[in-house]
Amino acid sequence: MASYQQYLKSTKSEIQETDTTAVKRVVDSGAPSPVIIDCREKDEYVQGYIPGAIWISRGLLEGKIEDVVPDRSTPVILYCAGGARSAFAAKSLQQLGYLDVKSMAGGYTAWKRSGLPWKVPTVMTPDQELRYSRHTLLPEVGQAGQIKLLEASALCIGAGGLGSPSSMYLAAAGVGTIGMIDDDVVDATNLQRQILHNIDRVGQPKVDSAEKTLRGLNPDLKVKKYQTRLTSDNVMEVLAPFDVIIDGADNFQTRYLVNDAALKLGKPVVHASIFRFEGQLTVFPAEGSPCYRCLYPEPPPPEEAPSCQEAGVLGVLPGIMGLLQATEAIKVILGLGQTLAGRLLVFDALKMRFRELKLRRDPKCPTCGDGVDRSKIELIDYVQFCAGA
Ligand SMILES: [Zn+2]
């Protein structure tokens, strides 16, 4: 019968090893493959790991590898603390049909001893594991995706009809920080659609009411409140800390400001607007094209713009469009699926019909067209022509 040392030696002779220098090159390249897998136990992983590595503890490796690396020809590098467990793991993956598996000799101990960069991971608490289990059960989200959401931040422009469902579902989904900007107070006419608020909060600032509702849904959440209107003076400062902007503004001047500032900052915007029985939705990607001005280069003259108070809106409509905004924001954060970038979704509630229009970048667009230096875009405060929605 073989001793442990003999068994380890014979296993290592049957697998390929790599070293920390080669793994450092993989980390620096930022390429999606080879996939680096940390197969240590949780108490080891939480103290630090190699940036870019995916953690799957040794005991769960065979069961989870197909979710993380579905294609068996994808190269995989495994590491543990010293290079023994990862050698056994490499042999096991070979037996599962993985064609290019290597174990990092010396493991994480050698990595740290060489002074190479490492990170302390964000890990979920037991409460969070329970709360988000229906997310983490989805292989496309998993623990890593949920942690991305927890570390992400989204800014809702407006705590009204669109901002209500989008912020509530983002809070429930575990997006860690939600910003709310709105200068208004809760009014009885809001309650037909703005489900963040309730009858007891009439007269209170909408951002305060929003914070109460959102933190009631998810006490982990950080809420950043801005009880003000966006202007050319504050828009850069307000948008800058957030990963994704959810534009639920009820007026043209804010939409242009958000578009132009987001282009300067390289932030993605999930845009929606509503009118009577119809809603529109699209995503302006972080790369900035096509953008809102490709769609509408200039605002309509004030006399032609619909007055929101007179126009009226079906109460459920912003609910539908705001939920679609939350869906797109989550996809943007997770890098999942296909967003509406380059497509305009138009919803007609009366016909219960969704249509899709292709959006093209306008080479002459004043903010994202050919030769435009986005850092030099000038922010414009258009005359306000639609107050309440
Ligand atoms: Zn444009």
Side-chain angles (χ1 to χ4, degrees), residues 91 178 183 366:
K91 187 175 170 189
I178 294 181
D183 67 339

Side-chain angles (χ1 to χ4, degrees), residues 309-375:
Q309 271 160 339
E310 283 167 28
V313 64
L314 191 68
V316 290
L317 181 67
I320 294 163
M321 302 314 288
L323 265 185
L324 292 173
Q325 280 185 298
T327 313
E328 290 298 275
I330 287 171
K331 283 161 59 190
V332 166
I333 292 166
L334 295 177
L336 205 63
Q338 238 187 321
T339 71
L340 277 173
R343 296 182 289 153
L344 181 73
L345 190 71
V346 181
F347 173 60
D348 182 333
L350 289 181
K351 294 193 179 123
M352 194 46 79
R353 186 176 291 162
F354 286 94
R355 282 179 299 140
E356 202 181 292
L357 308 172
K358 214 172 171 62
L359 293 184
R360 284 181 215 286
R361 186 181 79 103
D362 176 3
K364 295 202 186 85
C365 171
T367 44
C368 82
D370 293 342
V372 173
D373 179 350
R374 291 178 194 178
S375 66

